[in-house]
Amino acid sequence: MVIKNVSLETVCGITSKLPDNPHMEFAFAGKSNVGKSSLINGLMNRKSLARTSAQPGKTQTINFYNVNDQLYFVDLPGYGYAKVNEQEKAKWGKMIEDYLHQSKQLKAVFLLIDIRHEPSQNDKLMYDWILDQGFEPIIIATKSDKISRGQVPKHLKIIREGLHVVKDTIIIPYSAQTKQGREEIYELLDSYLEPMEN
């Protein structure tokens, strides 16, 4: 996959109607501070199109990025941030649920987990919830440059066991610093696009 052009096309708040997009969508979910914006920027080859925030829990909208007029990256609100009140959390949860239910173009959901830590209760809930919506999440183990290469298999096993992942679940270690894992994600996206091009 070669990134030619990207743009933030649609921003949906709690009361917004979801767009009826012409191209397939790939959603990115993960708790606040897991490196979601950094991953999306890395995939789009842009420094700061996806807004990274010093304040976790800041993404309160669903953001649709048009990539090459071929597909959309969909940035879902970060979950599990303690300082956000329960009412807000419930609203974001409803937004994400509505999107997973209603999108006609959603092809895959990437769930981001920090490779350094065991999956949290929120991560487990999110994983099970995505499964319940009929998708098998692709796990992106972020911040892989923060641990030694030799530690990676052990940490991937912790994620696998912590989430009780479905057999044959894809888990890709990713580093925003070194871009390790980016080509694997591109190959996955290409595998969805290729049938469309034939």
Side-chain angles (χ1 to χ4, degrees):
M1 172 177 266
V2 179
I3 304 296
K4 296 183 184 119
N5 49 66
V6 292
S7 63
L8 175 56
E9 192 171 285
T10 314
V11 176
C12 286
I14 282 158
T15 56
S16 310
K17 187 178 180 301
L18 289 164
D20 195 3
N21 285 325
H23 307 301
M24 55 179 77
E25 298 168 359
F26 297 89
F28 295 83
K31 68 180 177 197
S32 307
N33 255 7
V34 75
K36 193 154 48 69
S37 299
S38 301
L39 169 70
I40 293 170
N41 283 325
L43 291 175
M44 295 191 299
N45 257 339
R46 297 294 184 273
K47 279 231 165 12
S48 56
L49 187 57
R51 302 179 190 91
T52 50
S53 171
Q55 279 178 284
K58 223 29 191 162
T59 307
Q60 301 181 16
T61 52
I62 298 178
N63 300 331
F64 292 81
Y65 296 92
N66 182 327
V67 181
N68 292 347
D69 278 324
Q70 266 187 317
L71 58 99
Y72 290 91
F73 288 159
V74 183
D75 186 2
L76 300 174
Y79 57 82
Y81 186 54
K83 284 192 183 166
V84 176
N85 69 41
E86 290 306 317
Q87 217 174 347
E88 283 295 304
K89 280 185 195 166
K91 281 184 196 162
W92 296 357
K94 177 89 175 76
M95 261 171 90
I96 296 171
E97 186 174 19
D98 286 349
Y99 170 69
L100 293 178
H101 262 318
Q102 293 172 22
S103 169
K104 297 182 187 77
Q105 293 284 17
L106 181 60
K107 299 299 173 204
V109 182
F110 292 91
L111 178 61
L112 281 65
I113 307 285
D114 188 328
I115 198 166
R116 299 169 299 175
H117 309 299
E118 204 174 321
S120 68
Q121 196 51 42
N122 280 317
D123 290 329
K124 292 173 192 168
L125 285 171
M126 193 67 187
Y127 177 79
D128 290 340
W129 195 36
I130 295 167
L131 277 181
D132 285 345
Q133 306 302 322
F135 295 94
E136 281 188 19
I138 297 154
I139 311 294
I140 306 293
T142 60
K143 312 194 187 207
S144 66
D145 55 285
K146 307 277 194 231
I147 60 173
S148 71
R149 197 166 278 188
Q151 291 283 303
V152 168
K154 183 182 108 178
H155 283 261
L156 294 182
K157 185 168 185 268
I158 290 169
I159 291 174
R160 204 171 268 119
E161 290 173 355
L163 292 176
H164 301 297
V165 298
V166 173
K167 191 175 179 290
D168 298 328
T169 292
I170 298 166
I171 304 185
I172 301 173
Y174 178 81
S175 161
Q177 301 301 317
T178 66
K179 303 293 182 281
Q180 178 210 356
R182 184 165 69 173
E183 288 308 316
E184 285 173 77
I185 298 169
Y186 282 162
E187 280 171 24
L188 255 177
L189 294 169
D190 281 337
S191 72
Y192 283 93
L193 289 171
E194 275 156 16
M196 301 284 291
E197 287 163 3
N198 292 337

